[in-house]
Amino acid sequence: MDLLMEGFANALTPENLMYAVIGVLLGTAVGVLPGIGPAMTVALLLPITYNVDPAGALIMFAGIYYGGMYGGSTTSILLNTPGESSSVVTALEGNKMAKGGRAAQALATAAIGSFVAGTIGSVLLVVLMPNIADLVVKLGAPSYFAIMLFALFTVTAVLGSSKVRGFISLFLGLTIALVGSQTGQARLTFGRPELADGIDVVVVAVAIFAIGEALWVAAHLRRRPLEIIPVGQPWMSRADWGRSWKPWLRGTAYGFPFGALPAGGAEVPTFLSYITERRLTKHPEEFGKGAIEGVAGPEAANNASAAGTLVPLLAIGLPTTATAAVMLLAIQSYGIQPGPQLMDTEPELVWALLASLFIANVLLLVLNLPMAPIWAKLLRIPRPYLYAGILFFAALGAYSVNFQPFDLGILLVLGLLGFAMRRFGLPVLPLIIGVILGPRLEEQLTTALAISQGDISTLWSEPVAVLVYVLMAVIAVVMAVAGWRRRGHDTDEIDRVLDRAAATDADDI
Protein backbone atom coordinates (compact mmCIF):
# COMPACT_ATOMS: atom_id res chain seq x y z
CA MET A 1 0.00 0.00 0.00
CA ASP A 2 2.90 2.36 0.80
CA LEU A 3 4.33 1.75 -2.68
CA LEU A 4 0.96 2.59 -4.25
CA MET A 5 0.77 5.81 -2.25
CA GLU A 6 4.25 6.71 -3.48
CA GLY A 7 3.02 5.95 -6.99
CA PHE A 8 0.13 8.38 -6.53
CA ALA A 9 2.52 11.01 -5.17
CA ASN A 10 4.65 10.60 -8.29
CA ALA A 11 1.71 10.52 -10.71
CA LEU A 12 -0.03 13.55 -9.14
CA THR A 13 2.87 15.97 -9.61
CA PRO A 14 1.75 18.90 -11.80
CA GLU A 15 3.94 17.76 -14.69
CA ASN A 16 2.73 14.15 -14.68
CA LEU A 17 -0.88 15.19 -14.13
CA MET A 18 -0.54 17.39 -17.21
CA TYR A 19 0.72 14.37 -19.18
CA ALA A 20 -2.28 12.35 -17.98
CA VAL A 21 -4.72 15.08 -19.12
CA ILE A 22 -2.95 15.38 -22.48
CA GLY A 23 -3.05 11.60 -22.88
CA VAL A 24 -6.79 11.35 -22.17
CA LEU A 25 -7.64 14.24 -24.51
CA LEU A 26 -5.36 13.02 -27.33
CA GLY A 27 -6.49 9.42 -26.93
CA THR A 28 -10.15 10.36 -27.08
CA ALA A 29 -9.71 12.88 -29.91
CA VAL A 30 -7.93 10.35 -32.13
CA GLY A 31 -9.87 7.30 -30.95
CA VAL A 32 -13.22 8.94 -31.75
CA LEU A 33 -12.32 9.28 -35.43
CA PRO A 34 -14.07 6.62 -37.55
CA GLY A 35 -12.13 3.46 -38.31
CA ILE A 36 -9.40 4.16 -35.75
CA GLY A 37 -9.23 1.76 -32.79
CA PRO A 38 -7.20 2.05 -29.57
CA ALA A 39 -4.25 0.10 -31.06
CA MET A 40 -3.96 2.47 -34.00
CA THR A 41 -4.41 5.46 -31.66
CA VAL A 42 -1.52 4.34 -29.44
CA ALA A 43 0.65 3.48 -32.47
CA LEU A 44 0.07 6.91 -34.03
CA LEU A 45 0.79 8.79 -30.80
CA LEU A 46 3.78 6.64 -29.77
CA PRO A 47 6.46 8.91 -31.33
CA ILE A 48 5.26 12.03 -29.47
CA THR A 49 6.46 10.58 -26.14
CA TYR A 50 10.09 10.12 -27.19
CA ASN A 51 11.20 13.38 -25.57
CA VAL A 52 9.31 12.72 -22.32
CA ASP A 53 10.85 10.95 -19.31
CA PRO A 54 9.78 7.29 -18.86
CA ALA A 55 7.38 7.93 -15.96
CA GLY A 56 5.66 10.81 -17.76
CA ALA A 57 5.48 8.84 -21.01
CA LEU A 58 3.86 5.81 -19.39
CA ILE A 59 1.40 8.01 -17.51
CA MET A 60 0.50 9.69 -20.81
CA PHE A 61 0.03 6.28 -22.40
CA ALA A 62 -2.32 5.21 -19.61
CA GLY A 63 -4.47 8.21 -20.58
CA ILE A 64 -4.13 7.49 -24.31
CA TYR A 65 -5.04 3.82 -23.70
CA TYR A 66 -8.28 4.53 -21.85
CA GLY A 67 -9.08 7.62 -23.93
CA GLY A 68 -8.71 5.63 -27.15
CA MET A 69 -11.06 2.95 -25.86
CA TYR A 70 -13.71 5.52 -24.86
CA GLY A 71 -13.34 7.24 -28.23
CA GLY A 72 -13.91 3.91 -29.97
CA SER A 73 -17.17 3.36 -28.07
CA THR A 74 -18.34 6.88 -29.04
CA THR A 75 -17.82 6.09 -32.73
CA SER A 76 -19.58 2.73 -32.35
CA ILE A 77 -22.63 4.37 -30.77
CA LEU A 78 -22.93 7.41 -33.02
CA LEU A 79 -21.79 5.97 -36.37
CA ASN A 80 -22.17 2.22 -35.97
CA THR A 81 -18.48 2.03 -36.97
CA PRO A 82 -16.54 -0.05 -34.43
CA GLY A 83 -12.84 0.80 -34.30
CA GLU A 84 -11.99 -2.76 -33.26
CA SER A 85 -13.69 -6.12 -32.89
CA SER A 86 -14.32 -5.70 -29.15
CA SER A 87 -16.52 -2.65 -29.87
CA VAL A 88 -18.83 -4.54 -32.22
CA VAL A 89 -21.19 -5.58 -29.42
CA THR A 90 -21.44 -2.00 -28.12
CA ALA A 91 -22.56 -0.92 -31.58
CA LEU A 92 -25.39 -3.49 -31.65
CA GLU A 93 -27.53 -1.73 -29.06
CA GLY A 94 -25.71 1.60 -28.75
CA ASN A 95 -26.38 2.72 -32.30
CA LYS A 96 -30.04 1.65 -32.01
CA MET A 97 -30.32 3.77 -28.84
CA ALA A 98 -28.76 6.72 -30.67
CA LYS A 99 -31.16 6.41 -33.59
CA GLY A 100 -34.02 6.26 -31.10
CA GLY A 101 -33.03 9.64 -29.65
CA ARG A 102 -31.10 8.24 -26.65
CA ALA A 103 -27.52 8.89 -27.80
CA ALA A 104 -26.79 10.87 -24.62
CA GLN A 105 -27.88 7.99 -22.37
CA ALA A 106 -25.87 5.45 -24.41
CA LEU A 107 -22.71 7.58 -24.16
CA ALA A 108 -23.28 8.13 -20.44
CA THR A 109 -23.70 4.45 -19.56
CA ALA A 110 -20.65 3.62 -21.71
CA ALA A 111 -18.51 6.26 -19.96
CA ILE A 112 -19.63 5.46 -16.41
CA GLY A 113 -19.44 1.71 -17.07
CA SER A 114 -15.90 2.16 -18.39
CA PHE A 115 -15.02 4.10 -15.23
CA VAL A 116 -16.48 1.46 -12.88
CA ALA A 117 -14.88 -1.46 -14.73
CA GLY A 118 -11.54 0.32 -15.17
CA THR A 119 -11.36 1.21 -11.48
CA ILE A 120 -12.22 -2.31 -10.29
CA GLY A 121 -9.81 -3.76 -12.86
CA SER A 122 -7.03 -1.45 -11.68
CA VAL A 123 -7.60 -2.55 -8.06
CA LEU A 124 -7.35 -6.21 -9.08
CA LEU A 125 -4.21 -5.43 -11.09
CA VAL A 126 -2.56 -3.80 -8.07
CA VAL A 127 -3.43 -6.82 -5.91
CA LEU A 128 -2.49 -9.57 -8.36
CA MET A 129 0.58 -8.29 -10.18
CA PRO A 130 3.15 -8.48 -7.33
CA ASN A 131 2.02 -12.05 -6.48
CA ILE A 132 2.21 -13.20 -10.10
CA ALA A 133 5.63 -11.59 -10.49
CA ASP A 134 6.89 -13.51 -7.42
CA LEU A 135 5.76 -16.80 -9.01
CA VAL A 136 7.08 -16.05 -12.50
CA VAL A 137 10.55 -15.02 -11.29
CA LYS A 138 11.14 -18.66 -10.23
CA LEU A 139 10.62 -19.99 -13.76
CA GLY A 140 13.51 -21.10 -15.96
CA ALA A 141 14.13 -20.66 -19.69
CA PRO A 142 12.18 -23.84 -20.67
CA SER A 143 9.04 -22.58 -18.90
CA TYR A 144 9.39 -19.12 -20.45
CA PHE A 145 9.77 -20.71 -23.88
CA ALA A 146 6.65 -22.84 -23.33
CA ILE A 147 4.57 -19.87 -22.11
CA MET A 148 5.58 -17.72 -25.10
CA LEU A 149 4.86 -20.60 -27.47
CA PHE A 150 1.47 -20.98 -25.79
CA ALA A 151 0.76 -17.25 -26.27
CA LEU A 152 1.63 -17.46 -29.98
CA PHE A 153 -0.49 -20.61 -30.40
CA THR A 154 -3.58 -19.32 -28.62
CA VAL A 155 -3.56 -15.83 -30.13
CA THR A 156 -3.21 -17.39 -33.58
CA ALA A 157 -5.39 -20.49 -33.38
CA VAL A 158 -8.04 -19.69 -30.78
CA LEU A 159 -8.99 -16.06 -31.35
CA GLY A 160 -9.24 -15.97 -35.16
CA SER A 161 -12.13 -17.25 -37.25
CA SER A 162 -9.71 -18.95 -39.69
CA LYS A 163 -6.82 -20.95 -38.25
CA VAL A 164 -4.96 -21.05 -41.58
CA ARG A 165 -5.11 -17.27 -41.98
CA GLY A 166 -3.99 -16.85 -38.36
CA PHE A 167 -0.90 -19.02 -38.88
CA ILE A 168 -0.07 -17.25 -42.16
CA SER A 169 -0.14 -13.93 -40.29
CA LEU A 170 2.05 -15.37 -37.52
CA PHE A 171 4.53 -16.69 -40.11
CA LEU A 172 4.76 -13.20 -41.65
CA GLY A 173 5.43 -11.69 -38.22
CA LEU A 174 8.13 -14.22 -37.33
CA THR A 175 9.74 -13.66 -40.75
CA ILE A 176 9.92 -9.91 -40.14
CA ALA A 177 11.42 -10.63 -36.70
CA LEU A 178 14.23 -12.65 -38.32
CA VAL A 179 15.57 -9.62 -40.22
CA GLY A 180 18.89 -8.36 -38.86
CA SER A 181 22.26 -9.48 -37.54
CA GLN A 182 21.46 -9.73 -33.83
CA THR A 183 22.69 -13.35 -33.68
CA GLY A 184 26.01 -12.44 -35.33
CA GLN A 185 24.89 -13.73 -38.72
CA ALA A 186 23.04 -11.57 -41.23
CA ARG A 187 19.51 -12.83 -41.94
CA LEU A 188 17.22 -11.42 -44.64
CA THR A 189 19.18 -8.15 -44.81
CA PHE A 190 19.67 -8.37 -48.62
CA GLY A 191 23.02 -6.62 -48.24
CA ARG A 192 21.43 -3.43 -46.85
CA PRO A 193 23.34 -2.03 -43.84
CA GLU A 194 20.14 -0.26 -42.70
CA LEU A 195 18.63 -3.68 -41.95
CA ALA A 196 21.58 -4.89 -39.86
CA ASP A 197 19.80 -3.97 -36.62
CA GLY A 198 16.49 -5.37 -37.84
CA ILE A 199 13.26 -3.54 -38.63
CA ASP A 200 12.20 -1.29 -35.77
CA VAL A 201 9.03 -2.65 -34.23
CA VAL A 202 7.55 0.83 -33.98
CA VAL A 203 7.83 1.17 -37.77
CA VAL A 204 6.12 -2.22 -38.16
CA ALA A 205 3.28 -1.28 -35.80
CA VAL A 206 2.66 2.13 -37.39
CA ALA A 207 2.77 0.62 -40.90
CA ILE A 208 0.45 -2.33 -40.21
CA PHE A 209 -2.05 -0.39 -38.10
CA ALA A 210 -2.03 3.18 -39.40
CA ILE A 211 -0.91 2.92 -43.05
CA GLY A 212 -2.69 -0.38 -43.72
CA GLU A 213 -5.95 0.80 -42.13
CA ALA A 214 -5.86 4.22 -43.81
CA LEU A 215 -5.31 2.66 -47.25
CA TRP A 216 -8.06 0.10 -46.62
CA VAL A 217 -10.62 2.71 -45.52
CA ALA A 218 -9.63 5.04 -48.34
CA ALA A 219 -10.23 2.23 -50.84
CA HIS A 220 -13.77 1.87 -49.50
CA LEU A 221 -14.43 5.56 -48.98
CA ARG A 222 -18.06 6.54 -49.17
CA ARG A 223 -18.60 9.75 -51.09
CA ARG A 224 -21.82 10.68 -49.35
CA PRO A 225 -21.43 12.54 -46.01
CA LEU A 226 -21.69 10.57 -42.80
CA GLU A 227 -25.00 10.64 -40.96
CA ILE A 228 -24.04 11.86 -37.50
CA ILE A 229 -26.58 11.71 -34.73
CA PRO A 230 -26.75 14.91 -32.63
CA VAL A 231 -25.65 14.58 -29.00
CA GLY A 232 -26.70 16.64 -26.02
CA GLN A 233 -25.10 16.54 -22.59
CA PRO A 234 -24.84 12.86 -21.55
CA TRP A 235 -27.11 12.08 -18.62
CA MET A 236 -28.97 9.12 -17.17
CA SER A 237 -32.35 8.93 -15.48
CA ARG A 238 -32.95 7.00 -12.27
CA ALA A 239 -34.40 4.12 -14.29
CA ASP A 240 -31.29 4.06 -16.51
CA TRP A 241 -29.06 3.86 -13.43
CA GLY A 242 -31.18 1.02 -12.06
CA ARG A 243 -30.86 -0.92 -15.32
CA SER A 244 -27.11 -0.26 -15.72
CA TRP A 245 -25.33 -0.90 -12.44
CA LYS A 246 -25.71 -4.70 -12.40
CA PRO A 247 -24.55 -5.06 -16.05
CA TRP A 248 -21.51 -2.92 -15.17
CA LEU A 249 -20.51 -5.33 -12.40
CA ARG A 250 -21.28 -8.47 -14.40
CA GLY A 251 -19.34 -7.11 -17.39
CA THR A 252 -16.35 -6.42 -15.12
CA ALA A 253 -16.52 -9.98 -13.76
CA TYR A 254 -16.36 -11.30 -17.33
CA GLY A 255 -13.77 -8.89 -18.69
CA PHE A 256 -10.89 -8.93 -16.21
CA PRO A 257 -10.23 -12.71 -16.06
CA PHE A 258 -10.37 -13.03 -19.85
CA GLY A 259 -8.03 -10.06 -20.27
CA ALA A 260 -5.53 -11.57 -17.84
CA LEU A 261 -5.31 -14.89 -19.72
CA PRO A 262 -2.50 -15.38 -22.28
CA ALA A 263 -5.24 -16.23 -24.78
CA GLY A 264 -7.33 -13.31 -23.59
CA GLY A 265 -8.82 -10.35 -25.34
CA ALA A 266 -12.09 -8.46 -25.11
CA GLU A 267 -14.09 -10.16 -27.87
CA VAL A 268 -15.23 -13.21 -25.86
CA PRO A 269 -16.19 -11.39 -22.61
CA THR A 270 -18.10 -8.65 -24.47
CA PHE A 271 -20.18 -11.26 -26.31
CA LEU A 272 -20.70 -13.27 -23.09
CA SER A 273 -21.80 -10.09 -21.32
CA TYR A 274 -24.27 -9.27 -24.10
CA ILE A 275 -25.74 -12.79 -24.07
CA THR A 276 -26.01 -12.72 -20.25
CA GLU A 277 -27.80 -9.36 -20.21
CA ARG A 278 -30.16 -10.50 -22.94
CA ARG A 279 -31.13 -13.52 -20.83
CA LEU A 280 -31.44 -11.66 -17.52
CA THR A 281 -33.17 -8.50 -18.71
CA LYS A 282 -36.69 -7.58 -17.63
CA HIS A 283 -37.14 -5.78 -20.95
CA PRO A 284 -36.45 -8.46 -23.61
CA GLU A 285 -38.54 -6.58 -26.16
CA GLU A 286 -35.94 -3.76 -26.24
CA PHE A 287 -33.00 -5.95 -27.26
CA GLY A 288 -32.25 -5.41 -30.92
CA LYS A 289 -33.98 -2.03 -30.71
CA GLY A 290 -31.72 -0.22 -28.22
CA ALA A 291 -31.51 -1.81 -24.74
CA ILE A 292 -29.29 0.11 -22.33
CA GLU A 293 -28.12 -3.13 -20.67
CA GLY A 294 -26.67 -4.19 -24.05
CA VAL A 295 -24.37 -1.15 -23.93
CA ALA A 296 -23.55 -1.08 -20.20
CA GLY A 297 -22.43 -4.72 -19.84
CA PRO A 298 -20.24 -5.13 -22.94
CA GLU A 299 -18.60 -1.73 -22.47
CA ALA A 300 -17.70 -2.59 -18.87
CA ALA A 301 -16.36 -5.98 -20.03
CA ASN A 302 -14.26 -4.23 -22.68
CA ASN A 303 -12.59 -1.87 -20.21
CA ALA A 304 -12.13 -4.50 -17.49
CA SER A 305 -10.43 -6.66 -20.10
CA ALA A 306 -8.14 -3.73 -20.95
CA ALA A 307 -7.01 -3.60 -17.30
CA GLY A 308 -6.64 -7.39 -17.26
CA THR A 309 -4.31 -7.41 -20.27
CA LEU A 310 -1.79 -5.42 -18.22
CA VAL A 311 -1.33 -8.42 -15.87
CA PRO A 312 0.51 -10.67 -18.39
CA LEU A 313 2.01 -7.59 -20.06
CA LEU A 314 3.76 -6.25 -16.95
CA ALA A 315 4.29 -9.49 -15.00
CA ILE A 316 5.48 -11.74 -17.84
CA GLY A 317 6.05 -9.37 -20.77
CA LEU A 318 3.34 -11.06 -22.88
CA PRO A 319 1.01 -8.84 -24.93
CA THR A 320 -2.36 -10.52 -25.60
CA THR A 321 -4.05 -7.81 -27.65
CA ALA A 322 -2.95 -5.47 -30.42
CA THR A 323 -3.17 -2.46 -28.08
CA ALA A 324 -1.10 -4.25 -25.41
CA ALA A 325 1.48 -5.08 -28.08
CA VAL A 326 1.91 -1.40 -28.92
CA MET A 327 2.02 -0.55 -25.20
CA LEU A 328 4.88 -3.06 -24.86
CA LEU A 329 6.74 -1.22 -27.62
CA ALA A 330 6.29 2.03 -25.72
CA ILE A 331 7.78 0.53 -22.56
CA GLN A 332 10.65 -1.17 -24.41
CA SER A 333 11.54 2.04 -26.25
CA TYR A 334 12.92 3.32 -22.91
CA GLY A 335 15.10 0.26 -22.44
CA ILE A 336 12.66 -1.20 -19.89
CA GLN A 337 11.79 -4.89 -20.27
CA PRO A 338 8.47 -5.91 -18.66
CA GLY A 339 8.66 -9.16 -16.76
CA PRO A 340 9.00 -10.57 -13.24
CA GLN A 341 12.07 -8.45 -12.46
CA LEU A 342 10.29 -5.20 -13.33
CA MET A 343 8.82 -4.77 -9.84
CA ASP A 344 12.35 -4.95 -8.37
CA THR A 345 14.31 -2.99 -10.99
CA GLU A 346 11.80 -0.18 -11.64
CA PRO A 347 9.44 -0.06 -8.61
CA GLU A 348 8.81 3.71 -8.81
CA LEU A 349 7.97 3.48 -12.49
CA VAL A 350 5.62 0.50 -12.08
CA TRP A 351 3.67 1.95 -9.16
CA ALA A 352 3.43 5.35 -10.85
CA LEU A 353 1.95 3.57 -13.89
CA LEU A 354 -0.55 1.64 -11.74
CA ALA A 355 -1.55 4.82 -9.91
CA SER A 356 -1.94 6.63 -13.23
CA LEU A 357 -4.55 4.05 -14.31
CA PHE A 358 -6.81 5.26 -11.50
CA ILE A 359 -6.12 8.89 -12.42
CA ALA A 360 -6.78 8.27 -16.11
CA ASN A 361 -10.12 6.66 -15.23
CA VAL A 362 -11.22 9.68 -13.20
CA LEU A 363 -10.03 12.13 -15.86
CA LEU A 364 -11.84 10.13 -18.52
CA LEU A 365 -15.12 10.59 -16.69
CA VAL A 366 -14.59 14.20 -15.62
CA LEU A 367 -13.32 15.47 -18.99
CA ASN A 368 -15.17 13.35 -21.51
CA LEU A 369 -18.74 13.36 -20.27
CA PRO A 370 -19.11 17.16 -20.59
CA MET A 371 -17.13 17.18 -23.86
CA ALA A 372 -19.16 14.48 -25.66
CA PRO A 373 -20.79 16.99 -28.06
CA ILE A 374 -17.31 18.28 -29.02
CA TRP A 375 -16.04 14.75 -29.75
CA ALA A 376 -19.11 14.16 -31.88
CA LYS A 377 -18.21 17.22 -34.00
CA LEU A 378 -14.81 15.67 -34.81
CA LEU A 379 -16.73 13.03 -36.75
CA ARG A 380 -17.62 15.73 -39.30
CA ILE A 381 -14.01 16.00 -40.53
CA PRO A 382 -14.08 15.03 -44.24
CA ARG A 383 -12.65 11.53 -44.66
CA PRO A 384 -10.04 12.47 -47.33
CA TYR A 385 -8.55 15.12 -45.01
CA LEU A 386 -8.69 12.74 -42.05
CA TYR A 387 -6.80 9.89 -43.68
CA ALA A 388 -4.34 12.20 -45.41
CA GLY A 389 -3.51 13.50 -41.93
CA ILE A 390 -3.11 9.96 -40.62
CA LEU A 391 -0.68 9.08 -43.41
CA PHE A 392 1.32 12.25 -42.75
CA PHE A 393 1.64 11.70 -38.99
CA ALA A 394 2.37 8.00 -39.46
CA ALA A 395 5.23 8.83 -41.83
CA LEU A 396 6.50 11.55 -39.47
CA GLY A 397 6.40 9.14 -36.52
CA ALA A 398 8.22 6.37 -38.39
CA TYR A 399 10.90 8.77 -39.62
CA SER A 400 11.46 10.15 -36.09
CA VAL A 401 12.47 6.68 -34.79
CA ASN A 402 15.90 6.60 -36.52
CA PHE A 403 15.75 9.69 -38.77
CA GLN A 404 16.51 7.50 -41.80
CA PRO A 405 14.68 7.93 -45.12
CA PHE A 406 15.05 4.17 -45.57
CA ASP A 407 12.46 3.68 -42.81
CA LEU A 408 9.88 5.49 -44.96
CA GLY A 409 10.39 2.90 -47.70
CA ILE A 410 9.96 0.10 -45.15
CA LEU A 411 6.86 1.90 -43.84
CA LEU A 412 5.31 1.96 -47.33
CA VAL A 413 6.11 -1.71 -48.05
CA LEU A 414 4.72 -2.89 -44.71
CA GLY A 415 1.74 -0.54 -45.08
CA LEU A 416 0.90 -2.24 -48.37
CA LEU A 417 1.29 -5.57 -46.57
CA GLY A 418 -1.21 -4.36 -43.95
CA PHE A 419 -3.61 -3.35 -46.72
CA ALA A 420 -3.24 -6.78 -48.38
CA MET A 421 -3.87 -8.52 -45.06
CA ARG A 422 -7.16 -6.68 -44.66
CA ARG A 423 -8.06 -7.41 -48.26
CA PHE A 424 -7.59 -11.18 -47.81
CA GLY A 425 -8.92 -11.38 -44.25
CA LEU A 426 -5.61 -12.06 -42.45
CA PRO A 427 -5.72 -11.00 -38.77
CA VAL A 428 -3.23 -8.32 -37.76
CA LEU A 429 -2.65 -9.39 -34.15
CA PRO A 430 -0.66 -12.63 -34.81
CA LEU A 431 1.76 -10.68 -37.04
CA ILE A 432 2.43 -8.03 -34.38
CA ILE A 433 2.76 -10.63 -31.61
CA GLY A 434 5.13 -12.64 -33.84
CA VAL A 435 7.35 -9.60 -34.45
CA ILE A 436 7.54 -8.83 -30.73
CA LEU A 437 7.80 -12.32 -29.25
CA GLY A 438 9.85 -13.94 -32.05
CA PRO A 439 13.27 -12.66 -30.86
CA ARG A 440 12.42 -13.38 -27.21
CA LEU A 441 11.27 -16.90 -28.10
CA GLU A 442 14.56 -17.49 -29.91
CA GLU A 443 16.50 -16.07 -26.96
CA GLN A 444 14.81 -18.39 -24.43
CA LEU A 445 15.28 -21.41 -26.73
CA THR A 446 18.99 -20.60 -27.17
CA THR A 447 19.45 -20.11 -23.40
CA ALA A 448 17.71 -23.40 -22.53
CA LEU A 449 19.73 -25.40 -25.07
CA ALA A 450 22.99 -23.70 -24.07
CA ILE A 451 22.47 -24.60 -20.39
CA SER A 452 21.63 -28.22 -21.27
CA GLN A 453 24.47 -28.46 -23.83
CA GLY A 454 22.06 -29.08 -26.70
CA ASP A 455 19.80 -31.61 -24.95
CA ILE A 456 16.36 -30.91 -26.43
CA SER A 457 14.59 -32.74 -23.60
CA THR A 458 15.33 -29.74 -21.40
CA LEU A 459 12.39 -27.99 -23.08
CA TRP A 460 10.00 -30.18 -21.07
CA SER A 461 12.14 -30.58 -17.98
CA GLU A 462 10.12 -28.18 -15.79
CA PRO A 463 6.59 -28.85 -14.43
CA VAL A 464 5.22 -25.54 -15.74
CA ALA A 465 6.53 -26.29 -19.24
CA VAL A 466 4.92 -29.76 -19.20
CA LEU A 467 1.61 -28.29 -17.99
CA VAL A 468 1.65 -25.69 -20.78
CA TYR A 469 2.37 -28.30 -23.48
CA VAL A 470 -0.45 -30.53 -22.16
CA LEU A 471 -2.81 -27.55 -22.21
CA MET A 472 -1.81 -26.77 -25.80
CA ALA A 473 -2.44 -30.40 -26.80
CA VAL A 474 -5.88 -30.38 -25.14
CA ILE A 475 -6.83 -27.14 -26.91
CA ALA A 476 -5.64 -28.53 -30.25
CA VAL A 477 -7.70 -31.73 -29.77
CA VAL A 478 -10.81 -29.79 -28.73
CA MET A 479 -10.46 -27.51 -31.77
CA ALA A 480 -9.97 -30.51 -34.09
CA VAL A 481 -13.06 -32.30 -32.70
CA ALA A 482 -15.13 -29.12 -32.94
CA GLY A 483 -14.00 -28.61 -36.55
CA TRP A 484 -14.80 -32.24 -37.42
CA ARG A 485 -18.28 -31.95 -35.94
CA ARG A 486 -18.88 -28.69 -37.78
CA ARG A 487 -17.81 -30.26 -41.07
CA GLY A 488 -20.09 -33.22 -40.40
CA HIS A 489 -23.00 -30.88 -39.75
CA ASP A 490 -22.25 -28.95 -42.94
CA THR A 491 -22.10 -32.22 -44.92
CA ASP A 492 -25.47 -33.32 -43.53
CA GLU A 493 -26.94 -29.95 -44.46
CA ILE A 494 -25.59 -30.23 -48.02
CA ASP A 495 -27.04 -33.75 -48.33
CA ARG A 496 -30.44 -32.50 -47.22
CA VAL A 497 -30.34 -29.67 -49.75
CA LEU A 498 -29.37 -32.10 -52.54
CA ASP A 499 -32.16 -34.50 -51.52
CA ARG A 500 -34.69 -31.65 -51.64
CA ALA A 501 -33.38 -30.58 -55.05
CA ALA A 502 -33.63 -34.17 -56.36
CA ALA A 503 -37.17 -34.48 -55.04
CA THR A 504 -38.11 -31.20 -56.74
CA ASP A 505 -36.65 -32.39 -60.04
CA ALA A 506 -38.61 -35.69 -59.74
CA ASP A 507 -41.83 -33.78 -59.14
CA ASP A 508 -41.15 -31.63 -62.22
CA ILE A 509 -40.67 -34.73 -64.33
Side-chain angles (χ1 to χ4, degrees), residues 24-85:
V24 168
L25 292 177
L26 280 177
T28 308
V30 178
V32 79
L33 299 173
I36 303 178
M40 184 172 169
T41 301
V42 177
L44 270 175
L45 298 177
L46 177 61
I48 70 172
T49 63
Y50 285 160
N51 294 323
V52 182
D53 66 277
L58 293 183
I59 288 170
M60 184 186 292
F61 266 107
I64 291 172
Y65 189 30
Y66 282 125
M69 297 198 70
Y70 176 76
S73 67
T74 302
T75 312
S76 297
I77 290 168
L78 297 183
L79 280 184
N80 198 26
T81 308
E84 60 175 357
S85 55

Side-chain angles (χ1 to χ4, degrees), residues 412-426:
L412 177 60
V413 172
L414 293 178
L416 292 173
L417 173 63
F419 173 80
M421 291 177 69
R422 288 163 175 82
R423 168 64 182 82
F424 295 104
L426 298 178

Side-chain angles (χ1 to χ4, degrees), residues 20-34 41 45 63-64 66-79 103 107-108 111 226 228-234 363-381 386:
V21 172
I22 292 173
V24 168
L25 292 177
L26 280 177
T28 308
V30 178
V32 79
L33 299 173
T41 301
L45 298 177
I64 291 172
Y66 282 125
M69 297 198 70
Y70 176 76
S73 67
T74 302
T75 312
S76 297
I77 290 168
L78 297 183
L79 280 184
L107 289 173
L226 294 170
I228 299 168
I229 300 165
V231 181
Q233 287 298 333
L363 289 174
L364 195 68
L365 196 65
V366 172
L367 294 176
N368 283 340
L369 269 182
M371 295 180 69
I374 297 175
W375 302 132
K377 288 181 181 178
L378 285 176
L379 297 173
R380 300 183 184 275
I381 297 175
L386 170 62

